Amino acid sequence: MNENDTVSVAEFAFGDNDTLGAIVATLVSADLYVILSDVDGLYTANPQEDPDARLVPLVRELTPEIAAMAGGSTSSVGTGGMAAKLRAARASMAAGIPLVICRGREGGVLLRAACEDGVGTRFEPVEGSHEGARKLWIGLAEVVRGTLVLDDGARRAVVESGASVLPVGVLRAEGEFAVGDVVNVVGADGSLVGRGVSRYSSDEMARVHGLRLDVIARFMPERGGQPAVHRDELLVL
């Protein structure tokens, strides 16, 4: 369970306590993560603006359509809003931990959530999915220093085949980062693919993006054979 706005650590730039709660749930290998909110769960649209908005009882995959339902923060309590709760759900599902978003003032809500009694919105991870602790820390807790933008082929290889991020598939690098810094990996449309440890600095990426590894090895032998982000250091979100 995560109570809003109880912890603030300046260097841990998670952006919201919902994600912090997901990290704690991962660290203690929780069976369930419950976010008590001032809303009933995820709706198909903002229920304050759309009378036809419907509660979504179960989510098994965080598709772009699901993400579009979230919007920004509309709550008078806390800072994250539903978009932040979906980020927490994405992280929790990557760790193999179910997450429930529900109204905290509803009677018996925790028991109902634990008993899968149809309360709120339940985010159910794929059976058997569980990323390692290092990947989860990289993807959830480390401060992001920059961004790698992938072409469509590289994005598919990472998402569908678990491939590393190769420089040949990088369209461009954004921000300033050093070797070993954590970067966002995004698609050409800006959608988040994952987060990982960059094996090139931003200056180096400006030189090598779009090039094959054998070509890079000719003028940067110290980087020969190195992916931009190795799959063992990449959390796909």
Side-chain angles (χ1 to χ4, degrees):
M1 181 178 68
N2 171 40
E3 174 60 32
N4 284 328
D5 303 329
T6 58
V7 178
S8 178
V9 181
E11 184 59 24
F12 276 11
F14 309 122
D16 57 82
N17 285 332
D18 298 318
T19 303
L20 178 58
I23 294 170
V24 173
T26 299
L27 291 174
V28 301
S29 300
D31 295 322
L32 176 68
Y33 173 28
V34 180
I35 297 179
L36 301 181
S37 181
D38 58 350
V39 295
D40 294 317
L42 175 67
Y43 280 82
T44 55
N46 187 338
Q48 298 178 0
E49 301 174 356
D50 186 349
D52 295 325
R54 304 183 312 278
L55 181 69
V56 179
L58 178 65
V59 175
R60 295 188 181 275
E61 182 182 3
L62 285 171
T63 62
E65 291 75 19
I66 292 293
M69 297 176 186
S73 176
T74 59
S75 170
S76 60
V77 182
T79 58
M82 190 53 66
K85 289 172 175 56
L86 285 196
R87 287 193 295 271
R90 191 183 297 273
S92 187
M93 293 170 76
I97 300 172
L99 178 144
V100 173
I101 300 171
C102 54
R103 186 178 293 273
R105 294 185 181 275
E106 186 174 333
V109 67
L110 282 177
L111 180 59
R112 293 182 61 194
C115 294
E116 300 185 38
D117 190 24
V119 63
T121 300
R122 184 180 179 92
F123 295 81
E124 189 70 43
V126 176
E127 186 175 352
S129 64
H130 192 296
E131 295 288 3
R134 172 164 167 73
K135 278 192 179 185
L136 290 167
W137 183 261
I138 289 169
L140 304 180
E142 290 284 2
V143 177
V144 176
R145 302 296 184 186
T147 300
L148 300 181
V149 182
L150 306 186
D151 63 29
D152 291 340
R155 183 187 184 282
R156 285 195 302 271
V158 169
V159 173
E160 298 176 10
S161 304
S164 299
V165 177
L166 301 180
V168 69
V170 177
L171 295 173
R172 64 184 182 276
E174 299 175 350
E176 296 184 6
F177 51 90
V179 175
D181 281 347
V182 171
V183 295
N184 279 333
V185 178
V186 305
D189 60 356
S191 60
L192 182 64
V193 174
R195 290 192 179 114
V197 177
S198 177
R199 297 198 173 185
Y200 295 80
S201 69
S202 51
D203 289 341
E204 290 171 337
M205 282 306 308
R207 298 170 59 196
V208 305
H209 72 86
L211 300 179
R212 301 193 314 270
L213 293 179
D214 61 331
V215 174
I216 296 171
R218 296 175 193 170
F219 63 93
M220 292 179 65
E222 72 279 9
R223 292 285 186 266
Q226 289 288 324
V229 179
H230 195 280
R231 62 185 180 185
D232 291 343
E233 298 176 321
L234 172 67
L235 178 65
V236 175
L237 295 169

